[in-house]
Amino acid sequence: MHRQTYDDVVSLYWQIAREFGDGYLPFALIGGLNWSAEHRHRLYTHDRRAWIKAGPTDDDTSHLRSIVTTHDRLLSAGVRAEIDPANPSQAREAIQKAITEVTLLADLLALRFDAPVQWHPARYLGGFPVANPSELENRDVIPASRFPEAMTNTGITDDHVERQFLPLFSVVSALGDSAFGLVVRTAISWHAQGFTIQAGLSRYLAYWASVELLGAFLFDRLPRNITGRKTKPERRRAITELLERPVTEDYDCFDLVDDLIELKQPTVRTKVLVLSHWTGDRESLERALFAKVDGYSLYKIRNDIAHGNVGAHHHDFLEVVRRRLDEMKSISRSIIINVLRHSAEISSLLESVPGERGGR
């Protein structure tokens, strides 16, 4: 499987830089904008930094139907980028700047006209080289995917379907509409959305959501001897003991506050680690989700996205997400499948708890 990264997009443009004789890097804009243009020609910004053009008609896009769906519309755009094909360092910097600009252009279109818009790397249709750069003004562009799964082709066999897929379907179906069954279906749905959502940041959150959802559900409902969850009187006593504990250099006020918060409302870490009961040892899962690599844990990435600290123009952070997206997806997939494999045991445990909220 080939997975196209941000670096792949930059490399693609560098390799075909000689096609951009007019000094503009072409992009395709795909989404929900139906531009009824009187004339299909480029409209430039006042400083000619960028241009945008209405897309071809439905008849003209028949050859693009494998890329552009019936409900999507194709627009083309260009951002000025002086690229020297013989200078990789300069070319990369110029292409990165152009990508930043087209990201802004697409985001502003979505904001101003209240419609979904995504940019894709693109090439001009037609032969090269051109005798006159002005010829490019009348050419349409053909988009390529900027998202990994669009470049994926996974082979399966009859054995995969009969022995690996259909039994899982039967397991989930047998859970019915119990609370456990519904939360499992929701977790599967979140994981699947990670493949269909186009924006990398949202895809990451979809995979994380499946893990956090299962962890929170099972922590709140499984027997306490498995989760370590304290009763309200136990928490009250523990809080009283902490408040009576002297603050020292080894145990300062911040440590005290952290412990009090954990007793009042167990953290995400505490809840998701209950899943280790079925996925392997606790330390391995804790390390996978919460240990930092190059300054980022999977949980920190989740927080930065969910709290709105980053956007599509933060390219360094996007690279962190792209590098670790498969890791997050793999953990989500493994947890869901392991929960399904132990679904009978989990269902029995849920039913064993008096007043359990996860039953029918």
Side-chain angles (χ1 to χ4, degrees):
M1 296 188 295
H2 172 71
R3 303 189 178 278
Q4 189 178 34
T5 66
Y6 177 72
D7 282 339
D8 292 330
V9 175
V10 173
S11 178
L12 167 67
Y13 275 128
W14 178 42
Q15 292 171 20
I16 60 177
R18 290 180 177 83
E19 297 180 6
F20 313 135
D22 62 348
Y24 289 93
L25 214 62
F27 294 89
L29 301 172
I30 298 178
L33 288 177
N34 187 3
W35 184 353
S36 300
E38 295 182 14
H39 305 286
R40 289 192 57 242
H41 57 74
R42 294 179 178 180
L43 299 181
Y44 289 86
T45 58
H46 71 89
D47 57 0
R48 300 186 74 82
R49 171 67 191 159
W51 58 263
I52 186 170
K53 187 174 76 169
T57 64
D58 288 342
D59 291 338
D60 293 335
T61 57
S62 59
H63 61 294
L64 300 176
R65 279 295 166 221
S66 63
I67 302 171
V68 184
T69 70
T70 303
H71 302 291
D72 286 331
R73 298 294 175 175
L74 171 66
L75 282 62
S76 54
V79 175
R80 180 165 291 285
E82 300 296 339
I83 298 172
D84 180 0
N87 187 336
S89 179
Q90 181 277 337
R92 180 180 178 83
E93 184 177 340
I95 293 169
Q96 288 176 329
K97 187 173 182 181
I99 290 175
T100 299
E101 292 288 285
V102 81
T103 299
L104 174 62
L105 189 150
D107 289 349
L108 281 176
L109 280 172
L111 174 68
R112 181 61 184 83
F113 297 114
D114 194 24
V117 180
Q118 290 283 343
W119 68 263
H120 293 245
R123 301 178 73 165
Y124 290 110
L125 288 169
F128 292 93
V130 294
N132 189 328
S134 63
E135 293 180 27
L136 298 177
E137 291 219 10
N138 298 318
R139 292 194 182 185
D140 288 318
V141 300
I142 183 167
S145 175
R146 56 182 273 225
F147 302 108
E149 269 59 40
M151 310 292 287
T152 296
N153 185 5
T154 301
I156 61 174
T157 65
D158 292 349
D159 185 68
H160 290 140
V161 174
E162 291 178 350
R163 300 185 63 177
Q164 297 181 28
F165 168 68
L166 292 178
L168 283 181
F169 177 82
S170 297
V171 167
V172 178
S173 181
L175 293 175
D177 59 356
S178 66
F180 180 43
L182 292 176
V183 83
V184 164
R185 289 175 185 240
T186 304
I188 294 170
S189 176
W190 273 116
H191 183 88
Q193 286 184 58
F195 288 100
T196 58
I197 298 171
Q198 290 189 326
L201 301 182
S202 298
R203 293 180 62 211
Y204 187 95
L205 282 186
Y207 294 135
W208 180 277
S210 67
V211 174
E212 189 168 330
L213 176 68
L214 286 172
F217 177 87
L218 294 177
F219 179 86
D220 289 342
R221 292 164 174 79
L222 285 171
R224 298 179 189 276
N225 65 312
I226 292 177
T227 65
R229 182 165 46 93
K230 297 180 183 297
T231 64
K232 192 169 184 178
E234 289 172 337
R235 285 185 288 142
R236 186 179 292 113
R237 286 195 297 272
I239 289 173
T240 300
E241 291 174 1
L242 283 173
L243 291 175
E244 293 175 348
R245 178 176 177 174
V247 174
T248 65
E249 185 175 339
D250 294 329
Y251 187 81
D252 62 21
C253 57
F254 293 105
D255 297 321
L256 172 62
V257 170
D258 288 341
D259 287 343
L260 290 172
I261 291 174
E262 173 69 27
L263 285 168
K264 177 67 171 63
Q265 179 60 54
T267 61
V268 170
R269 179 192 295 250
T270 299
K271 292 186 175 183
V272 299
L273 289 181
V274 74
L275 296 167
S276 65
H277 191 77
W278 295 280
T279 63
D281 67 281
R282 180 185 175 94
E283 288 185 5
S284 294
L285 183 60
E286 185 170 24
R287 185 166 55 251
L289 292 175
F290 299 98
K292 290 185 178 181
V293 177
D294 296 330
Y296 285 95
S297 65
L298 296 180
Y299 182 59
K300 176 173 170 52
I301 294 172
R302 173 263 191 206
N303 284 346
D304 281 348
I305 299 172
H307 297 162
N309 297 332
V310 293
H313 57 288
H314 290 92
H315 295 303
D316 289 344
F317 184 82
L318 289 179
E319 275 307 293
V320 173
V321 174
R322 287 185 177 95
R323 285 197 303 269
R324 305 197 68 182
L325 187 63
D326 275 351
E327 184 181 352
M328 188 64 245
K329 178 176 69 173
S330 178
I331 292 172
S332 168
R333 178 176 180 271
S334 174
I335 285 174
I336 293 172
I337 290 177
N338 275 292
V339 165
L340 291 178
R341 286 173 176 166
H342 295 88
S343 61
E345 175 192 352
I346 294 173
S347 294
S348 178
L349 288 169
L350 289 171
E351 295 296 336
S352 72
V353 178
E356 193 276 308
R357 292 169 288 170
R360 293 181 182 274

